[in-house]
Amino acid sequence: MTAAPAAAAQRSRPRLGFLGVGWIGRHRMQAILEEGHAEAAAIADASPEMVAEALKLAPGAQAVDSLDAMLEAGVDGVVIATPSALHTEQSIRALQHGVAVFCQKPLGRTAAEARAVVDAARKADRLLAVDLSYRFTEGMRRIREVVQSGELGRIYAVDLVFHNAYGPDKQWFYDPALSGGGCVMDLGVHLVDLALWTLDFPGVAKVQGSLFAGGEPLGGRPDKVEDYALATVTLHGGTAVQLACSWRLQAGQDAVISAAFYGTGGGVALRNVNGSFYDFTAERFRGTARETLATPPDAWGGRAAADWAARLASGARFDPAAERLVEVSAVLDRIYGR
């Protein structure tokens, strides 16, 4: 008597298409499938080897050769992990087909592109989310709780850093037309999002940015992207947000990642451990004393994707919080001076 309801529940899970199944795409795919809220129905990638690897995770999925074929297969949602230049067009096409979207960052190379996707999601009334994965670390969740509780008083300063000792291994990252920008678009997007999200998007009054390529000021060159950037973002209310990000910085370790929030009544900070890209501690500061809020291990990498799949499975439609994606993109535009 219990088998039939169980089978019905299994059939009711959203059927997902995975467009782009390189390392990140497969990692997000695995996280979604392990949570069990959705099933993989279709897989597409330009690399047959990547498709073969993805099919090991979902042997029952259908390999297709395009987004159009994926949409024709009747999927309920698409997970997009393709080059940045494709995100906007692919997201809009899926949404116009009535399909929910989970997209790698950036959603668009400019705020105008991000706006077009959000508008398409609103019109289609379909769930849209972007893989702003650091929101889902235990450390940042604890930090946001403390900040929003008011216990730190007025937050007047935020310091954010993301230095990656390596650079992207795909050539399109270095073409401004394809990527939309360099380390700011790749890493700075996370920093801007963490600041605004933690402070509940108070609005941006002023933005100043300095961009460098190969140790020289970028100077608006159309043929290069920045590999080092500094920016100051002044929020409504006066809070000063400072951020720095880079590729291939000689910092003595694989990565330097931190997000610190200082208030009139204390501070909190997230920091990576021993140069790790994955392990973080979060601490609260009171004068010279500190309290640990979170420590490794923390399997956070696929939580954003799994959260989107769970919401999709629960019947969620357009989430007005997607408007915040445009606000983050607008700050990046201003850092780039456009």
Side-chain angles (χ1 to χ4, degrees):
M1 296 293 291
T2 59
Q10 185 80 0
R11 286 194 301 271
S12 68
R13 294 186 304 168
R15 301 174 73 253
L16 302 183
F18 292 85
L19 183 64
V21 286
W23 183 86
I24 289 180
R26 293 198 310 278
H27 182 271
R28 301 324 188 234
M29 177 181 178
Q30 183 174 3
I32 289 172
L33 298 181
E34 285 179 350
E35 289 295 320
H37 295 297
E39 62 180 280
I43 295 168
D45 195 285
S47 166
E49 292 78 15
M50 295 300 97
V51 171
E53 289 298 314
L55 287 173
K56 293 177 183 178
L57 297 173
Q62 176 186 0
V64 297
D65 61 4
S66 66
L67 173 59
D68 289 336
M70 187 174 286
L71 297 175
E72 289 303 317
V75 296
D76 303 296
V78 172
V79 177
I80 298 173
T82 57
S84 298
L86 304 176
H87 290 178
T88 297
E89 186 269 336
Q90 290 172 339
S91 296
I92 291 174
R93 191 140 42 104
L95 290 162
Q96 290 177 340
H97 205 274
V99 172
V101 168
F102 180 82
C103 188
Q104 275 303 308
K105 53 78 187 170
L107 181 60
R109 291 164 294 181
T110 64
E113 288 190 347
R115 163 56 62 199
V117 180
V118 172
D119 286 349
R122 182 184 294 277
K123 183 176 181 180
D125 193 22
R126 289 296 181 269
L127 186 64
L128 168 67
V130 171
D131 195 10
L132 295 166
S133 52
Y134 292 89
R135 288 187 183 187
F136 288 80
T137 60
E138 180 63 22
M140 279 310 306
R141 291 191 161 197
R142 293 296 308 278
I143 283 171
R144 187 172 188 257
E145 288 173 4
V146 172
V147 168
Q148 297 207 354
S149 73
E151 296 171 15
L152 301 182
R154 183 177 66 84
I155 303 298
Y156 58 87
V158 182
D159 292 335
L160 305 147
V161 174
F162 198 148
H163 297 311
N164 182 341
Y166 311 99
D169 59 359
K170 302 292 192 303
Q171 196 57 40
W172 63 262
F173 275 94
Y174 303 95
D175 182 339
L178 297 179
S179 63
C183 61
V184 172
M185 190 64 64
D186 183 36
L187 308 176
V189 61
H190 288 299
L191 303 181
V192 171
D193 178 69
L194 287 181
L196 298 183
W197 173 73
T198 301
L199 298 174
D200 202 21
F201 289 85
V204 175
K206 183 179 179 182
V207 178
Q208 293 178 298
S210 298
L211 308 177
F212 298 82
E216 300 291 338
L218 186 59
R221 288 186 57 174
D223 60 328
K224 285 191 174 184
V225 297
E226 77 287 353
D227 55 24
Y228 186 89
L230 299 170
T232 300
V233 180
T234 304
L235 304 179
H236 290 315
T239 301
V241 178
Q242 298 184 88
L243 66 90
C245 61
S246 68
W247 294 331
R248 293 183 300 278
L249 188 72
Q250 300 183 52
Q253 58 188 31
D254 288 346
V256 180
I257 306 170
S258 64
F261 298 77
Y262 300 105
T264 53
V268 284
L270 178 86
R271 305 187 195 282
N272 66 323
V273 178
N274 297 325
S276 173
F277 285 99
Y278 308 106
D279 294 333
F280 295 94
T281 61
E283 295 178 306
R284 177 172 178 171
F285 310 132
R286 296 181 177 88
T288 58
R290 60 181 62 204
E291 169 194 352
T292 300
L293 300 176
T295 59
D298 178 24
W300 55 272
R303 282 186 190 146
D307 175 77
W308 169 82
R311 288 191 289 154
L312 183 62
S314 73
R317 294 297 186 101
F318 178 74
D319 181 356
E323 290 287 344
R324 302 307 196 185
L325 301 169
V326 183
E327 295 181 41
V328 172
S329 292
V331 174
L332 300 191
D333 276 359
R334 294 170 73 176
I335 292 174
Y336 284 115
R338 59 194 182 206

